[in-house]
Amino acid sequence: MKEETKRKKYYLKKYRRCITKIDRLEGKLSELDFKLEGLNSKEITDMPRGGQPLTLDELLVRKEELKTRINNLVQSSHRIRQEACFAFDALDDERCAEVLEMYFIDLLSLDEIAETKHYSFRHVIRLYSQGLEDIQLTISGH
């Protein structure tokens, strides 16, 4: 695979990585919300507790930190998505653009794209490869 194509692929996968990070942080945020709810209700148990208990203030600070991190990732993902979609729209072959958008933005696997579009898997691979070769990206930060 050409070095330039690798760079394009790496850049386009940044959106997928952002979405994965956002999902992970939102899971942590849900856990914090659960802990915050637990502070409001006292539960008596004979089970030993380990570690230092977290205070309400500590939990609220962590929650705000997580929200800030999530918001930063969301903003970053919007920028990447917008740049990628602009590049997809500039492709001459609509089928290549559609395959790339479904893979990098809609987060579908190549198998799922083949099934959805009623293409053979090999045809999807060809469209994907051709699209990556033809796409023009202004890769910021590189």
Side-chain angles (χ1 to χ4, degrees):
M1 184 183 292
K2 292 183 199 173
E3 194 61 36
E4 181 64 21
T5 303
K6 284 183 181 179
R7 285 177 16 131
K8 292 175 186 178
K9 190 174 174 180
Y10 179 81
Y11 182 78
L12 290 169
K13 282 190 173 185
K14 283 175 92 174
Y15 180 76
R16 283 179 159 240
R17 289 189 298 273
C18 275
I19 297 303
T20 301
K21 290 175 186 176
I22 290 167
D23 288 345
R24 179 180 55 83
L25 292 176
E26 285 178 341
K28 289 178 85 167
L29 190 59
S30 291
E31 290 173 18
L32 270 181
D33 284 337
F34 183 73
K35 287 180 183 179
L36 283 167
E37 288 175 19
L39 286 179
N40 294 332
S41 63
K42 300 279 183 190
E43 185 177 306
I44 299 174
T45 177
D46 61 352
M47 295 298 293
R49 292 179 171 224
Q52 291 283 37
L54 293 174
T55 66
L56 178 61
D57 289 340
E58 290 169 335
L59 288 175
L60 291 175
V61 167
R62 286 185 184 182
K63 183 175 180 174
E64 285 307 309
E65 288 171 349
L66 278 173
K67 283 183 177 181
T68 300
R69 289 170 65 193
I70 291 169
N71 286 335
N72 290 340
L73 283 168
V74 166
Q75 288 175 1
S76 179
S77 72
H78 287 311
R79 179 184 46 77
I80 295 165
R81 180 185 176 120
Q82 187 176 28
E83 290 172 5
C85 287
F86 182 74
F88 298 151
D89 293 342
L91 286 171
D92 289 333
D93 190 333
E94 283 297 313
R95 297 169 307 159
C96 290
E98 190 170 34
V99 166
L100 292 178
E101 186 169 348
M102 291 174 84
Y103 183 78
F104 290 108
I105 303 300
D106 299 335
L107 309 179
L108 296 177
S109 70
L110 295 175
D111 285 325
E112 291 169 325
I113 295 168
E115 187 176 317
T116 301
K117 298 302 298 172
H118 304 290
Y119 294 155
S120 71
F121 181 75
R122 289 179 60 146
H123 187 62
V124 170
I125 294 292
R126 277 191 297 272
L127 293 172
Y128 171 84
S129 299
Q130 187 63 51
L132 275 179
E133 190 174 311
D134 293 347
I135 198 165
Q136 297 297 314
L137 290 171
T138 0
I139 301 175
S140 54
H142 292 289

